[in-house]
């Protein structure tokens, strides 16, 4: 029973974090999924666990349900439909000061790939910021056309 609590306790915390009604929770999806997978991976390395089949099933379930996240962070290759593959999940996590890029620590890839991933994520972030600024300027420009005032003197 103690082992079961040890395996499932982080799932309770993650569920509480991502099911808020009055706060934005999309930014917590990527950090929660990767943290849960990392937690299960650490437990998998222990050889004294009786619930190893359950741990492997939970890992597989995370990979199937959130395949798009795992593909986006280079922990899996893309095969067919990838739920959660939209960049909005990565961007919202990066732009949330609570998470920023700290969640990259839970990405289980080699350091070279992690550095390349960090660089591409920052590039994506810069692109999105530039895109937003460009469209804000377009809206601002179209709404506030300067009025030319012609004065005549006698």
């Amino acid at each position: 029973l103690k082992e079961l609590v040890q395996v499932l306790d982080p799932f309770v915390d993650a569920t509480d974090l991502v099911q808020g009604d009055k706060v934005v929770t999309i930014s917590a999806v990527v950090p929660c999924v990767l943290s849960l997978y990392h937690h299960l991976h650490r437990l998998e390395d222990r050889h004294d666990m009786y619930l190893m089949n359950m741990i492997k099933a939970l890992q597989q379930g995370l990979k199937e349900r959130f395949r798009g996240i795992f593909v986006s962070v280079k922990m899996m290759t893309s095969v067919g439909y990838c739920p959660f593959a939209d960049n909005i999940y990565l961007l919202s996590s990066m732009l949330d000061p609570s998470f920023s890029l700290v969640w990259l620590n839970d990405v289980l890839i080699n350091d070279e790939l992690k550095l390349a991933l960090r660089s591409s994520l920052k590039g994506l972030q810069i692109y999105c910021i530039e895109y937003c600024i460009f469209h804000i300027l377009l809206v601002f420009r179209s709404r506030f056309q300067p009025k030319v005032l012609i004065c005549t003197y006698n």
Side-chain angles (χ1 to χ4, degrees):
L1 189 58
K2 193 184 245 185
E3 203 173 285
L4 183 62
V5 170
Q6 182 183 12
V7 171
L8 295 179
D9 195 43
F11 284 86
V12 173
D13 297 336
T15 303
D16 290 343
L17 185 61
V18 297
Q19 69 178 2
D21 286 341
K22 295 180 176 41
V23 294
V24 176
T25 59
I26 191 171
S27 61
V29 173
V30 171
C32 283
V33 168
L34 294 175
S35 178
L36 288 172
Y37 189 82
H38 193 250
H39 164 71
L40 294 170
H41 184 74
R42 282 193 312 264
L43 292 178
E44 187 182 36
D45 288 342
R46 292 180 48 191
H47 299 290
D48 62 338
M49 300 289 289
Y50 292 107
L51 300 173
M52 197 55 67
N53 288 337
M54 181 180 155
I55 291 169
K56 289 182 187 285
L58 287 169
Q59 282 180 312
Q60 189 60 34
L62 281 173
K63 280 183 162 181
E64 287 174 16
R65 175 76 170 104
F66 299 99
R67 182 180 296 135
I69 291 172
F70 289 100
V71 168
S72 296
V73 298
K74 313 292 188 241
M75 288 176 66
M76 286 179 70
T77 55
S78 178
V79 179
Y81 174 66
C82 291
F84 292 88
D86 196 306
N87 283 334
I88 191 71
Y89 297 103
L90 297 175
L91 282 169
S92 62
S93 297
M94 290 187 312
L95 295 173
D96 186 330
S98 304
F99 301 112
S100 186
L101 288 175
V102 174
W103 51 268
L104 275 176
N105 297 332
D106 289 325
V107 177
L108 301 174
I109 55 177
N110 68 45
D111 289 339
E112 188 177 315
L113 271 176
K114 199 175 281 192
L115 189 61
L117 177 61
R118 181 182 298 274
S119 177
S120 72
L121 289 172
K122 286 185 177 182
L124 178 63
Q125 187 176 21
I126 290 169
Y127 170 78
C128 287
I129 291 169
E130 288 173 346
Y131 180 85
C132 288
I133 290 171
F134 175 75
H135 284 283
I136 288 169
L137 289 175
L138 281 179
V139 169
F140 181 78
R141 191 172 177 195
S142 68
R143 288 192 181 161
F144 301 103
Q145 289 293 330
K147 305 266 190 278
V148 177
L149 181 61
I150 300 176
C151 297
T152 57
Y153 295 98
N154 290 336

